[in-house]
Amino acid sequence: MKVLVIGGGAREHALCRSLSLDPDVTALYCAPGNAGIAEVAELRPVDALDGAAVAGLATELGAGLVVVGPEAPLVAGVADAVRTAGIPCFGPSGEAARLEGSKAFAKDVMAAANVPTARSYVCTTPQEIDTALDAFGAPYVVKDDGLAAGKGVVVTDDLEEARAHALACDNVVIEEFLDGPEVSLFAITDGVTVLPLTPAQDFKRARDGDEGPNTGGMGAYSPLPWADPKLVDEVMQSVLQPTVDELRRRGTPFSGLLYAGLAITSRGVRVIEFNARFGDPETQVVLARLKTPLARILLGSANGTLDTEPPLNWRDDAAVTVVIASHNYPGTPRTGDPIEGLDAVAAQDAPHAYVLHAGTRQDGDAVVSAGGRVLSVTATGADLTQARERAYAAVARIRLDGSQHRTDIAQKAASEA
């Protein structure tokens, strides 16, 4: 099978890495890709938001499967264009991807499917915003209704900060604060059958101790030694399957990757948000633990044949990923800085630790930074403690001027395991 992956971040590098190790994959392409992905896939230029261009490239390459990584192309309907060209595509339709593209739409689906989530108001005027903020009180949870690259959510005790963020959004969802730890649970679905993956936890705040501004994610780990062993079954029954069934009932079946962001509250599991694609950086640790070859599962989703697939097979190893971000992230990041030490990690830490590229590009013989989140240093180990040690040993070999990373990824979970 020839596979084309759309995107150019660490999530796509993780997907390409797993697909490159799959014996069923005879040729692997990525568009537009990045400097690291170029080591495992052939890069092609494309406007990822142009469905006709993506479908044309897939046709030209003779791809038997297209995997759309990021949310923006999915919401733009790129998967529809690929399917119209007669090529199997992993990723939901533009209509089904509204589950991520509009938080108001997601709340409507959850209400219809009886999925547990935070109480909320959808606001369009300053008066509605003030009424909602007053109704819930602090801490205030304010979410831009549309796509915001993981940075459209403000959680704050400061009323003026909450109000300012709400007023800056066209439509805004204001909801009650959910206490308790957060969990990311991915599921691969063909619109009927749902295959849950292993849970992961990510770290949204920029600095140690969950301080600083929200980011797209500064690290992740899996498994979750503190989580209830029945968690996946519970979320399957109360969240994932009802949501898939409701979207199918509406005539907009969801096939692809359904990502449930969950809060384990004192009152039970609640959905914080849905995403319509693999999460970043959780994908890096989830795929590090997946033994089942990836291409067949993604193709089963695209072709509607997941009911014939055996249960997924997982490694016992733990996995940890640490994001190295550029100077000033999540503000306007500095780019163009050379990255050193990548060869040292490959020589001294493989196969237990490796670097997945996010915001990088090739500049002559050098690899330079090209985005806010630059690298995801990922490691596996017998337990979280060993995986952390290996990840941070690899991080220490990398030099990027002005870069930042958290030093406490999975620390608490490892100490309690």
Side-chain angles (χ1 to χ4, degrees), residues 33-412:
N34 63 38
I37 294 173
E39 296 176 6
V40 294
E42 185 178 320
L43 302 192
R44 294 297 180 97
V46 79
D47 177 353
L49 296 175
D50 185 336
V54 172
L57 176 61
T59 302
E60 175 194 328
L61 296 173
L65 174 67
V66 174
V67 179
V68 182
E71 60 271 27
L74 291 168
V75 172
V78 167
D80 301 275
V82 172
R83 279 191 276 268
T84 299
I87 300 168
C89 186
F90 180 80
S93 67
E95 190 64 27
R98 289 179 66 207
L99 203 61
E100 176 168 7
S102 168
K103 293 177 177 62
F105 175 75
K107 288 289 187 183
D108 185 61
V109 170
M110 284 188 270
N114 217 15
V115 169
T117 187
R119 293 180 297 119
S120 64
Y121 294 103
V122 180
C123 306
T124 56
T125 68
Q127 184 180 6
E128 290 174 347
I129 287 167
D130 289 339
T131 299
L133 292 171
D134 184 58
F136 289 129
Y140 304 101
V141 182
V142 184
K143 299 181 175 182
D144 191 331
D145 181 48
L147 292 180
K151 290 172 282 195
V153 179
V154 165
V155 181
T156 179
D157 288 323
D158 185 330
L159 177 59
E160 288 310 310
E161 183 187 0
R163 191 169 190 273
H165 182 66
L167 290 170
C169 305
D170 290 331
N171 289 339
V172 64
V173 175
I174 297 173
E175 63 184 38
E176 68 175 327
F177 177 76
L178 296 174
D179 64 334
E182 295 184 13
V183 174
S184 301
L185 184 60
F186 303 162
I188 292 173
T189 177
D190 57 11
V192 179
T193 301
V194 181
L195 287 183
L197 306 187
T198 188
Q201 185 174 57
D202 77 331
F203 294 76
K204 285 279 188 264
R205 298 284 185 171
R207 294 189 282 277
D208 286 7
D210 292 327
E211 299 288 333
N214 254 357
T215 71
M218 295 298 290
Y221 69 94
S222 179
L224 313 182
W226 50 268
D228 187 327
K230 298 175 186 169
L231 175 65
V232 174
D233 289 341
E234 179 187 343
V235 175
M236 268 290 290
Q237 292 171 19
S238 66
V239 175
L240 297 170
Q241 192 71 56
T243 300
V244 169
D245 291 346
E246 172 61 20
L247 285 165
R248 188 175 68 253
R249 187 191 66 76
R250 292 178 178 222
T252 54
F254 187 107
S255 73
L257 195 289
L258 179 57
Y259 165 141
L262 309 165
I264 313 300
T265 77
S266 53
R267 294 171 293 144
V269 174
R270 297 287 185 273
V271 175
I272 301 169
E273 64 177 355
F274 282 126
N275 292 326
R277 39 71 194 181
F278 278 101
D280 182 346
E282 301 98 320
T283 301
Q284 289 85 302
V285 292
V286 170
L287 292 186
R289 300 187 61 224
L290 180 66
K291 283 177 76 171
T292 303
L294 184 61
R296 180 172 167 171
I297 315 166
L298 303 187
L299 186 63
S301 165
N303 287 339
T305 57
L306 282 183
D307 60 330
T308 65
E309 292 298 320
L312 299 179
N313 200 355
W314 297 96
R315 294 183 178 88
D316 292 332
D317 283 2
V320 170
T321 194
V322 179
V323 170
I324 297 177
S326 57
H327 177 72
N328 201 42
Y329 178 78
T332 303
R334 193 174 81 202
T335 60
D337 289 311
I339 302 165
E340 299 176 346
L342 297 173
D343 290 344
V345 174
Q348 299 179 55
D349 299 293
H352 300 299
Y354 48 89
V355 180
L356 298 169
H357 292 229
T360 69
R361 62 180 174 83
Q362 197 77 35
D363 184 10
D365 292 335
V367 175
V368 301
S369 61
R373 292 186 295 173
V374 181
L375 304 169
S376 284
V377 180
T378 306
T380 56
D383 54 25
L384 286 174
T385 297
Q386 187 178 50
R388 284 190 83 246
E389 289 170 353
R390 287 172 169 172
Y392 280 107
V395 166
R397 300 190 205 282
I398 294 169
R399 291 176 299 286
L400 171 62
D401 188 45
S403 67
Q404 54 178 313
H405 66 271
R406 284 184 56 160
T407 65
D408 63 348
I409 303 301
Q411 185 176 47
K412 186 168 182 282

